[in-house]
Amino acid sequence: MGGTTRGRPLKTIAIDFETANEQRGSACSVGLAWIEGGEVVRVEERLIRPKDMRFSSFNIAVHGIRPEHVEDAGEFPEVMDEFADDFRGATMIAHNAAFDFSVWRACLDLYRQHYPELSYLCSVKMAQKVWPHLGSHKLNVLAQHLGLRFAHHNAAADAAVCAKAAIAITRSLGVAHVRDVPSMIGMKIGQLFAGGYAPCTIRLK
């Protein structure tokens, strides 16, 4: 399971952002979960100091992160640069990718940084296609469906459940890798690239 490109193994990583306020460029934490061999093999979380440090009470109520928690954290470019090699050429997965990748783009735009070259999938769209009988496809509902306990709106926990849901979807379709899922369900893979992005979409019946 996997493959290589230019001698490097292809990476598959689930990602989740939490934001400090209603602005997409206000990421205050990121969670990452690496998938290898059909298992989650690594989970990381980093706090991020937003550029303007404005935290809304609504967002604090959701994730519990306050300004004092991120005072000593790095800003977005510093935090994400730690994982730059992992992201390069990776297949990323996010639960509601439209949100998480708009956060990523907005933060890069804020710091006038280039977008990394990578592909991405939306696990919400995947779950809607594969488990249409579920009344909702929110992450906590999928966690319950898969028998997983987790702390919702903790970025690391959210990324790990997103990764485990993607693994379960892959297995339910009988394919070798999460990268094989889009062709099975009529999904167009999203892309980030130096000049912009292409959204992850799904063909409706």
Side-chain angles (χ1 to χ4, degrees), residues 8-72:
R8 292 195 317 274
L10 293 168
K11 294 188 177 68
T12 307
I13 309 166
I15 188 165
D16 180 82
F17 287 107
E18 300 296 335
T19 55
N21 57 59
E22 73 287 349
Q23 297 292 324
R24 296 293 169 94
S26 68
C28 61
S29 74
V30 61
L32 300 159
W34 284 253
I35 299 171
E36 281 179 25
E39 301 292 339
V40 175
V41 296
R42 177 185 174 194
V43 179
E44 299 281 356
E45 182 185 12
R46 298 289 183 272
L47 292 173
I48 299 168
R49 189 170 74 250
K51 202 164 190 177
D52 69 358
M53 282 294 279
R54 179 173 65 83
F55 280 71
S56 79
S57 56
F58 176 84
N59 292 53
I60 291 171
V62 169
H63 52 56
I65 300 170
R66 298 175 175 276
E68 57 268 28
H69 296 147
V70 301
E71 281 176 357
D72 298 324

Side-chain angles (χ1 to χ4, degrees), residues 180-203:
D180 302 322
V181 169
S183 62
M184 299 286 289
I185 62 172
M187 174 179 275
K188 181 185 171 191
I189 298 170
Q191 304 280 343
L192 271 189
F193 46 87
Y197 77 103
C200 175
T201 58
I202 202 148
R203 190 169 58 243

Side-chain angles (χ1 to χ4, degrees), residues 111-151:
Y111 289 95
R112 297 196 166 99
Q113 290 201 308
H114 292 301
Y115 296 174
E117 300 262 350
L118 53 83
S119 305
Y120 65 92
L121 308 176
C122 177
S123 53
V124 170
K125 294 182 188 299
M126 288 159 55
Q128 286 169 340
K129 271 286 201 181
V130 176
W131 298 316
H133 61 282
L134 295 179
S136 163
H137 296 86
K138 291 180 178 178
L139 205 53
N140 57 330
V141 175
L142 291 193
Q144 189 175 14
H145 175 64
L146 297 169
L148 304 171
R149 294 170 65 93
F150 82 120

